[in-house]
Short mmCIF file of all heavy atoms in Angstrom, two decimals:
data_model
loop_
_atom_site.label_atom_id
_atom_site.label_comp_id
_atom_site.label_asym_id
_atom_site.label_seq_id
_atom_site.Cartn_x
_atom_site.Cartn_y
_atom_site.Cartn_z
N GLU N 1439 122.10 197.72 -25.92
CA GLU N 1439 121.00 197.91 -25.00
C GLU N 1439 119.86 197.04 -25.24
O GLU N 1439 119.31 196.49 -24.32
CB GLU N 1439 120.57 199.39 -24.97
CG GLU N 1439 121.40 200.36 -24.11
CD GLU N 1439 120.86 201.70 -24.08
OE1 GLU N 1439 119.88 201.96 -24.85
OE2 GLU N 1439 121.35 202.58 -23.29
N ASN N 1440 119.53 196.88 -26.52
CA ASN N 1440 118.35 196.16 -26.99
C ASN N 1440 118.58 194.63 -26.45
O ASN N 1440 117.64 194.02 -25.86
CB ASN N 1440 118.13 196.24 -28.42
CG ASN N 1440 116.86 195.68 -28.84
OD1 ASN N 1440 115.91 195.34 -28.12
ND2 ASN N 1440 116.75 195.40 -30.21
N LEU N 1441 119.86 194.07 -26.72
CA LEU N 1441 120.12 192.73 -26.38
C LEU N 1441 120.01 192.63 -24.87
O LEU N 1441 119.44 191.60 -24.24
CB LEU N 1441 121.45 192.36 -26.82
CG LEU N 1441 121.49 192.09 -28.36
CD1 LEU N 1441 122.96 191.81 -28.72
CD2 LEU N 1441 120.67 190.90 -28.74
N GLU N 1442 120.41 193.62 -24.04
CA GLU N 1442 120.46 193.56 -22.66
C GLU N 1442 119.05 193.50 -22.15
O GLU N 1442 118.73 192.75 -21.32
CB GLU N 1442 121.26 194.83 -22.05
CG GLU N 1442 121.28 194.73 -20.57
CD GLU N 1442 122.03 195.89 -20.02
OE1 GLU N 1442 122.81 196.54 -20.76
OE2 GLU N 1442 121.92 196.25 -18.79
N MET N 1443 118.19 194.40 -22.70
CA MET N 1443 116.80 194.50 -22.34
C MET N 1443 116.16 193.16 -22.68
O MET N 1443 115.28 192.67 -22.00
CB MET N 1443 116.11 195.56 -22.95
CG MET N 1443 116.48 197.02 -22.39
SD MET N 1443 115.73 198.33 -23.25
CE MET N 1443 114.48 198.60 -22.02
N HIS N 1444 116.38 192.50 -23.87
CA HIS N 1444 115.92 191.36 -24.24
C HIS N 1444 116.22 190.30 -23.20
O HIS N 1444 115.35 189.50 -22.76
CB HIS N 1444 116.36 190.92 -25.60
CG HIS N 1444 115.84 189.63 -26.12
ND1 HIS N 1444 114.63 189.37 -26.41
CD2 HIS N 1444 116.59 188.38 -26.40
CE1 HIS N 1444 114.50 188.10 -26.79
NE2 HIS N 1444 115.67 187.45 -26.69
N ASP N 1445 117.44 190.28 -22.94
CA ASP N 1445 117.90 189.23 -21.80
C ASP N 1445 117.20 189.47 -20.46
O ASP N 1445 116.72 188.56 -19.81
CB ASP N 1445 119.37 189.27 -21.58
CG ASP N 1445 120.13 188.78 -22.80
OD1 ASP N 1445 119.59 188.18 -23.66
OD2 ASP N 1445 121.32 189.05 -22.96
N ARG N 1446 117.02 190.67 -20.05
CA ARG N 1446 116.27 190.96 -18.79
C ARG N 1446 114.85 190.53 -18.95
O ARG N 1446 114.33 189.92 -17.94
CB ARG N 1446 116.30 192.59 -18.52
CG ARG N 1446 117.79 192.99 -17.99
CD ARG N 1446 117.57 194.41 -17.75
NE ARG N 1446 118.82 195.04 -17.41
CZ ARG N 1446 119.13 196.29 -17.03
NH1 ARG N 1446 118.11 197.17 -17.22
NH2 ARG N 1446 120.27 196.64 -16.67
N ILE N 1447 114.25 190.80 -20.07
CA ILE N 1447 112.79 190.43 -20.27
C ILE N 1447 112.63 188.89 -20.25
O ILE N 1447 111.80 188.29 -19.52
CB ILE N 1447 112.24 191.08 -21.53
CG1 ILE N 1447 112.01 192.51 -21.46
CG2 ILE N 1447 110.88 190.37 -21.98
CD1 ILE N 1447 111.60 193.19 -22.64
N GLU N 1448 113.59 188.30 -20.87
CA GLU N 1448 113.49 186.78 -20.84
C GLU N 1448 113.72 186.27 -19.46
O GLU N 1448 113.05 185.36 -18.92
CB GLU N 1448 114.67 186.17 -21.70
CG GLU N 1448 114.55 186.37 -23.22
CD GLU N 1448 113.44 185.40 -23.69
OE1 GLU N 1448 113.24 184.33 -23.15
OE2 GLU N 1448 112.77 185.91 -24.74
N HIS N 1449 114.59 186.87 -18.72
CA HIS N 1449 114.86 186.48 -17.31
C HIS N 1449 113.59 186.74 -16.40
O HIS N 1449 113.23 185.85 -15.72
CB HIS N 1449 116.08 187.18 -16.67
CG HIS N 1449 116.41 186.91 -15.37
ND1 HIS N 1449 116.90 185.69 -14.95
CD2 HIS N 1449 116.16 187.72 -14.24
CE1 HIS N 1449 117.10 185.69 -13.56
NE2 HIS N 1449 116.67 186.96 -13.08
N LEU N 1450 113.05 187.90 -16.70
CA LEU N 1450 111.84 188.23 -15.93
C LEU N 1450 110.69 187.36 -16.25
O LEU N 1450 109.85 186.85 -15.41
CB LEU N 1450 111.31 189.67 -16.18
CG LEU N 1450 112.15 190.78 -15.50
CD1 LEU N 1450 111.64 192.09 -15.93
CD2 LEU N 1450 112.17 190.66 -13.96
N ILE N 1451 110.46 186.88 -17.50
CA ILE N 1451 109.41 186.01 -18.03
C ILE N 1451 109.62 184.68 -17.38
O ILE N 1451 108.70 183.98 -16.93
CB ILE N 1451 109.47 185.88 -19.58
CG1 ILE N 1451 108.83 187.25 -20.08
CG2 ILE N 1451 108.61 184.71 -19.97
CD1 ILE N 1451 109.02 187.36 -21.70
N GLU N 1452 110.96 184.18 -17.29
CA GLU N 1452 111.28 182.88 -16.74
C GLU N 1452 110.88 182.84 -15.27
O GLU N 1452 110.33 182.02 -14.64
CB GLU N 1452 112.67 182.55 -16.97
CG GLU N 1452 113.02 182.17 -18.42
CD GLU N 1452 114.56 181.93 -18.49
OE1 GLU N 1452 115.30 181.83 -17.52
OE2 GLU N 1452 114.80 181.75 -19.76
N LYS N 1453 111.25 184.04 -14.60
CA LYS N 1453 110.83 184.12 -13.05
C LYS N 1453 109.34 184.10 -12.91
O LYS N 1453 108.82 183.49 -12.04
CB LYS N 1453 111.37 185.55 -12.58
CG LYS N 1453 112.83 185.45 -12.21
CD LYS N 1453 113.19 186.74 -11.44
CE LYS N 1453 114.60 186.75 -10.84
NZ LYS N 1453 114.82 188.06 -10.16
N GLN N 1454 108.63 184.86 -13.73
CA GLN N 1454 107.17 184.87 -13.58
C GLN N 1454 106.53 183.49 -13.94
O GLN N 1454 105.73 183.06 -13.39
CB GLN N 1454 106.55 185.89 -14.63
CG GLN N 1454 106.66 187.29 -14.24
CD GLN N 1454 106.11 188.40 -15.10
OE1 GLN N 1454 105.69 187.88 -16.25
NE2 GLN N 1454 106.21 189.59 -14.68
N VAL N 1455 107.15 182.79 -14.90
CA VAL N 1455 106.60 181.49 -15.24
C VAL N 1455 106.88 180.50 -14.07
O VAL N 1455 106.00 179.76 -13.75
CB VAL N 1455 107.31 181.00 -16.66
CG1 VAL N 1455 106.96 179.53 -16.78
CG2 VAL N 1455 106.81 181.77 -17.81
N SER N 1456 108.01 180.55 -13.53
CA SER N 1456 108.36 179.70 -12.46
C SER N 1456 107.56 180.11 -11.22
O SER N 1456 107.15 179.14 -10.51
CB SER N 1456 109.79 179.78 -12.13
OG SER N 1456 110.21 181.01 -11.62
N ARG N 1457 107.33 181.26 -10.94
CA ARG N 1457 106.46 181.65 -9.79
C ARG N 1457 104.96 181.34 -10.09
O ARG N 1457 104.21 181.12 -9.29
CB ARG N 1457 106.56 183.24 -9.49
CG ARG N 1457 107.67 183.35 -8.52
CD ARG N 1457 107.66 184.83 -8.00
NE ARG N 1457 108.45 185.60 -8.77
CZ ARG N 1457 108.28 187.02 -9.06
NH1 ARG N 1457 107.26 187.56 -8.44
NH2 ARG N 1457 108.95 187.67 -9.83
N GLY N 1458 104.64 181.50 -11.36
CA GLY N 1458 103.27 181.39 -11.78
C GLY N 1458 102.86 179.86 -11.71
O GLY N 1458 101.68 179.55 -11.53
N GLY N 1459 103.79 178.96 -11.65
CA GLY N 1459 103.40 177.50 -11.60
C GLY N 1459 102.83 177.24 -10.22
O GLY N 1459 102.16 176.29 -10.06
N HIS N 1460 103.20 177.91 -9.26
CA HIS N 1460 102.66 177.67 -7.80
C HIS N 1460 101.27 178.39 -7.70
O HIS N 1460 100.59 178.09 -6.87
CB HIS N 1460 103.51 178.26 -6.82
CG HIS N 1460 104.95 177.64 -6.95
ND1 HIS N 1460 105.13 176.37 -6.58
CD2 HIS N 1460 106.12 178.09 -7.27
CE1 HIS N 1460 106.36 175.94 -6.67
NE2 HIS N 1460 107.01 177.13 -7.18
N SER N 1461 100.90 179.22 -8.57
CA SER N 1461 99.68 179.93 -8.44
C SER N 1461 98.49 179.05 -8.85
O SER N 1461 98.76 178.07 -9.48
CB SER N 1461 99.70 181.33 -9.24
OG SER N 1461 99.67 181.04 -10.63
N SER N 1462 97.25 179.57 -8.76
CA SER N 1462 96.16 178.77 -9.02
C SER N 1462 95.98 178.56 -10.45
O SER N 1462 95.52 177.48 -10.94
CB SER N 1462 94.90 179.42 -8.44
OG SER N 1462 94.84 180.83 -9.12
N ARG N 1463 96.43 179.48 -11.29
CA ARG N 1463 96.29 179.34 -12.77
C ARG N 1463 97.73 179.42 -13.23
O ARG N 1463 98.42 180.25 -13.14
CB ARG N 1463 95.41 180.36 -13.33
CG ARG N 1463 95.33 180.37 -14.84
CD ARG N 1463 94.51 181.51 -15.26
NE ARG N 1463 94.40 181.46 -16.69
CZ ARG N 1463 95.08 182.42 -17.44
NH1 ARG N 1463 95.74 183.29 -16.90
NH2 ARG N 1463 95.04 182.23 -18.69
N ALA N 1464 98.18 178.36 -13.82
CA ALA N 1464 99.50 178.24 -14.40
C ALA N 1464 99.49 178.88 -15.87
O ALA N 1464 98.51 178.56 -16.56
CB ALA N 1464 100.08 176.79 -14.45
N ARG N 1465 100.45 179.65 -16.07
CA ARG N 1465 100.52 180.40 -17.34
C ARG N 1465 101.45 179.49 -18.28
O ARG N 1465 102.56 179.05 -17.86
CB ARG N 1465 101.13 181.71 -17.35
CG ARG N 1465 100.17 182.76 -16.70
CD ARG N 1465 100.87 184.03 -16.75
NE ARG N 1465 99.98 185.06 -16.11
CZ ARG N 1465 100.32 186.27 -16.00
NH1 ARG N 1465 101.40 186.76 -16.52
NH2 ARG N 1465 99.30 187.08 -15.36
N SER N 1466 101.01 179.24 -19.38
CA SER N 1466 101.95 178.44 -20.30
C SER N 1466 102.63 179.49 -21.10
O SER N 1466 102.30 180.62 -21.36
CB SER N 1466 100.94 177.64 -21.26
OG SER N 1466 100.26 178.29 -22.06
N LYS N 1467 103.69 178.99 -21.78
CA LYS N 1467 104.53 179.79 -22.76
C LYS N 1467 103.78 180.22 -23.77
O LYS N 1467 104.02 181.20 -24.52
CB LYS N 1467 105.82 179.05 -23.02
CG LYS N 1467 106.93 179.13 -21.99
CD LYS N 1467 108.22 178.74 -22.51
CE LYS N 1467 109.29 178.87 -21.56
NZ LYS N 1467 110.59 178.53 -21.94
N SER N 1468 102.73 179.58 -24.17
CA SER N 1468 102.05 179.87 -25.32
C SER N 1468 101.18 181.14 -25.22
O SER N 1468 100.81 181.74 -26.17
CB SER N 1468 101.00 178.75 -25.80
OG SER N 1468 100.13 178.57 -24.74
N GLU N 1469 101.03 181.54 -23.93
CA GLU N 1469 100.34 182.84 -23.67
C GLU N 1469 101.18 184.00 -24.12
O GLU N 1469 100.67 185.05 -24.31
CB GLU N 1469 99.87 182.99 -22.29
CG GLU N 1469 98.83 182.01 -21.83
CD GLU N 1469 98.51 182.21 -20.38
OE1 GLU N 1469 99.08 183.02 -19.68
OE2 GLU N 1469 97.56 181.48 -19.90
N TYR N 1470 102.43 183.71 -24.17
CA TYR N 1470 103.32 184.80 -24.43
C TYR N 1470 103.73 184.63 -25.92
O TYR N 1470 104.20 183.56 -26.41
CB TYR N 1470 104.63 184.74 -23.70
CG TYR N 1470 104.41 184.97 -22.19
CD1 TYR N 1470 104.31 183.95 -21.33
CD2 TYR N 1470 104.19 186.21 -21.58
CE1 TYR N 1470 104.12 184.04 -19.93
CE2 TYR N 1470 103.92 186.32 -20.25
CZ TYR N 1470 103.83 185.30 -19.47
OH TYR N 1470 103.57 185.45 -18.10
N VAL N 1471 103.46 185.62 -26.65
CA VAL N 1471 103.97 185.63 -28.06
C VAL N 1471 105.43 185.99 -28.12
O VAL N 1471 105.83 187.01 -27.71
CB VAL N 1471 103.16 186.55 -28.91
CG1 VAL N 1471 103.61 186.69 -30.27
CG2 VAL N 1471 101.65 186.36 -28.89
N SER N 1472 106.12 185.06 -28.62
CA SER N 1472 107.64 185.24 -28.53
C SER N 1472 108.02 186.40 -29.61
O SER N 1472 107.39 186.73 -30.49
CB SER N 1472 108.39 184.00 -28.88
OG SER N 1472 108.10 183.68 -30.21
N SER N 1473 109.16 187.01 -29.11
CA SER N 1473 109.67 188.05 -29.93
C SER N 1473 110.50 187.52 -31.07
O SER N 1473 111.12 186.43 -30.89
CB SER N 1473 110.41 188.98 -29.00
OG SER N 1473 111.58 188.32 -28.52
N LYS N 1474 110.60 188.36 -32.18
CA LYS N 1474 111.45 187.82 -33.13
C LYS N 1474 112.60 188.89 -33.41
O LYS N 1474 112.28 190.10 -33.23
CB LYS N 1474 110.61 187.73 -34.49
CG LYS N 1474 109.72 186.63 -34.60
CD LYS N 1474 109.13 186.71 -36.04
CE LYS N 1474 108.26 185.62 -36.33
NZ LYS N 1474 107.64 185.51 -37.61
N ARG N 1475 113.72 188.40 -33.56
CA ARG N 1475 114.71 189.31 -33.95
C ARG N 1475 114.92 189.31 -35.52
O ARG N 1475 115.07 188.18 -36.13
CB ARG N 1475 116.17 188.77 -33.37
CG ARG N 1475 116.43 189.21 -31.97
CD ARG N 1475 117.75 188.92 -31.57
NE ARG N 1475 117.82 189.05 -30.14
CZ ARG N 1475 118.88 188.57 -29.47
NH1 ARG N 1475 119.89 188.33 -30.13
NH2 ARG N 1475 118.90 188.67 -28.16
N LEU N 1476 114.80 190.47 -36.03
CA LEU N 1476 114.79 190.51 -37.47
C LEU N 1476 116.28 190.72 -37.82
O LEU N 1476 117.03 191.63 -37.30
CB LEU N 1476 113.99 191.64 -38.02
CG LEU N 1476 112.50 191.42 -37.75
CD1 LEU N 1476 111.72 192.72 -38.18
CD2 LEU N 1476 111.90 190.22 -38.31
N THR N 1477 116.74 189.94 -38.74
CA THR N 1477 118.06 190.13 -39.25
C THR N 1477 118.07 190.84 -40.61
O THR N 1477 117.10 190.64 -41.43
CB THR N 1477 118.90 188.84 -39.39
OG1 THR N 1477 118.21 187.94 -40.28
CG2 THR N 1477 119.04 188.15 -38.02
N GLY N 1478 119.08 191.52 -40.96
CA GLY N 1478 119.19 192.26 -42.12
C GLY N 1478 120.28 193.23 -42.05
O GLY N 1478 121.07 193.21 -41.13
N PRO N 1479 120.26 194.25 -42.94
CA PRO N 1479 121.23 195.17 -42.94
C PRO N 1479 121.35 196.00 -41.62
O PRO N 1479 122.31 196.43 -41.10
CB PRO N 1479 121.06 196.09 -44.18
CG PRO N 1479 119.73 195.75 -44.55
CD PRO N 1479 119.29 194.41 -44.01
N LYS N 1480 120.09 196.25 -41.03
CA LYS N 1480 119.96 197.03 -39.83
C LYS N 1480 118.97 196.36 -38.93
O LYS N 1480 117.84 196.27 -39.28
CB LYS N 1480 119.48 198.49 -40.24
CG LYS N 1480 119.32 199.41 -39.20
CD LYS N 1480 118.88 200.74 -39.72
CE LYS N 1480 118.64 201.63 -38.52
NZ LYS N 1480 118.08 202.94 -38.94
N PRO N 1481 119.49 195.85 -37.66
CA PRO N 1481 118.59 195.20 -36.88
C PRO N 1481 117.51 196.09 -36.41
O PRO N 1481 117.83 197.34 -36.00
CB PRO N 1481 119.46 194.74 -35.71
CG PRO N 1481 120.92 195.12 -36.05
CD PRO N 1481 120.91 195.91 -37.31
#
């Protein structure tokens, strides 16, 4: 479920970024703090 939600969020962010390019103020990817996947014995 977490991976699915991550993929959905990535997809939504990409949509917002692509729509945001047409707006008056373009958002850069740097405005978004990327998420980290922590690896270890228990994700």
Side-chain angles (χ1 to χ4, degrees):
E1439 277 188 349
N1440 191 15
L1441 287 174
E1442 184 180 340
M1443 291 180 95
H1444 176 68
D1445 290 344
R1446 284 183 185 172
I1447 289 172
E1448 288 288 329
H1449 179 69
L1450 287 174
I1451 289 173
E1452 287 176 10
K1453 276 187 178 179
Q1454 285 180 355
V1455 168
S1456 64
R1457 273 193 267 154
H1460 299 294
S1461 66
S1462 59
R1463 180 178 171 256
R1465 292 186 183 177
S1466 68
K1467 279 193 173 182
S1468 63
E1469 291 181 0
Y1470 298 99
V1471 176
S1472 66
S1473 64
K1474 285 186 179 179
R1475 280 194 196 169
L1476 299 175
T1477 59
K1480 181 176 174 185

